[in-house]
Amino acid sequence: MAHRLVADGETVIDVPGRARTELLNRIHRLLLELVPGGAKRFLSAMQARALAETVEPGDAAARVRLRLVNELIDDLEVVDRKTKAADKELKQLVLARGSTLMDLNGIGPCGAARILADTDNVHRFVSRDRFASWNGTAPLDASSGQQQRHRLSRAGNRKINHVLHTMAVVQLRHPTAGRGYYDSNVSSCRDVMPPRPCTGGYPMMGS
């Protein structure tokens, strides 16, 4: 049952996220026309509401924009409540599977559910290298002559790749094992690739 629900990614995971992004983009565009200097790109519903309350519309057009902003913020609050409820349900389902993925910095209920749904059983991969190749985090050889180079792969499962990329970015922003790994590479190499290829197998093979 857990696998069937988390596998329905278009409904349980993807749709609320896309709806929220669309609402935020529309709110942001309207606030750019209402607030001197504009608004920051990523706003919570509470922040957007507080900003809208500072607006004093000077004409009919501004009043219409402000009304639209408030209506969109109402919609954003509804989406946030639905997302929170979905996260709670997904968290219970992930834990019911016996997974420890959410113990990793940067992996939440949605990310863990996505990995479980698409990967199914990680032990079907012979090695972590095969898993990295499957999810597109394994770097591709782009060497020429004596010059040894690698480039990022654009192949593989892009949804899993996105989850692992998000995890890597979150770990870089905090004092984590991932940050330590990255720093050690920076200190030992003058040319450092972004951390994405390093995420291929390490978080999964033991989870």
Side-chain angles (χ1 to χ4, degrees), residues 179-201:
R179 180 75 221 192
Y181 179 83
Y182 182 80
D183 288 341
S184 67
N185 277 274
V186 171
S187 61
S188 61
C189 303
R190 185 175 59 184
D191 243 359
V192 181
M193 289 288 288
R196 290 176 66 184
C198 306
T199 63

Side-chain angles (χ1 to χ4, degrees), residues 135-202:
N135 63 47
T137 55
L140 299 178
D141 187 9
S143 302
S144 177
Q146 299 298 316
Q147 188 176 23
Q148 300 297 312
R149 295 173 52 194
H150 292 83
R151 63 181 178 83
L152 292 178
S153 171
R154 300 300 178 188
N157 187 311
R158 305 314 298 171
K159 291 180 179 179
I160 298 298
N161 187 284
H162 176 71
V163 171
L164 296 177
H165 173 70
T166 300
M167 180 190 70
V169 171
V170 170
Q171 292 198 12
L172 280 178
R173 293 174 178 172
H174 299 87
T176 62
R179 180 75 221 192
Y181 179 83
Y182 182 80
D183 288 341
S184 67
N185 277 274
V186 171
S187 61
S188 61
C189 303
R190 185 175 59 184
D191 243 359
V192 181
M193 289 288 288
R196 290 176 66 184
C198 306
T199 63
Y202 122 79

Side-chain angles (χ1 to χ4, degrees), residues 20 24 27-28 31 35 38-55 66 69-70 72-74 76-77 80:
R20 189 176 199 281
L24 280 175
I27 291 170
H28 182 259
L31 286 176
V35 179
K40 66 179 184 179
R41 187 70 177 175
F42 301 103
L43 292 166
S44 66
M46 184 180 298
Q47 290 171 330
R49 182 81 70 188
L51 195 56
E53 288 175 353
T54 66
V55 175
L66 183 58
V69 164
N70 285 316
L72 290 170
I73 293 172
D74 290 339
L76 180 61
E77 290 174 339
D80 283 346

Side-chain angles (χ1 to χ4, degrees), residues 100-115:
T100 58
L101 282 169
M102 290 187 296
D103 292 342
L104 296 167
N105 284 288
I107 298 290
C110 286
R114 169 61 65 196
I115 291 173

Side-chain angles (χ1 to χ4, degrees), residues 6 8-18 90 109-111 113-114 117:
V6 297
D8 189 12
E10 290 300 315
T11 302
V12 180
I13 300 172
D14 298 328
V15 173
R18 286 201 299 265
L90 286 173
C110 286
R114 169 61 65 196

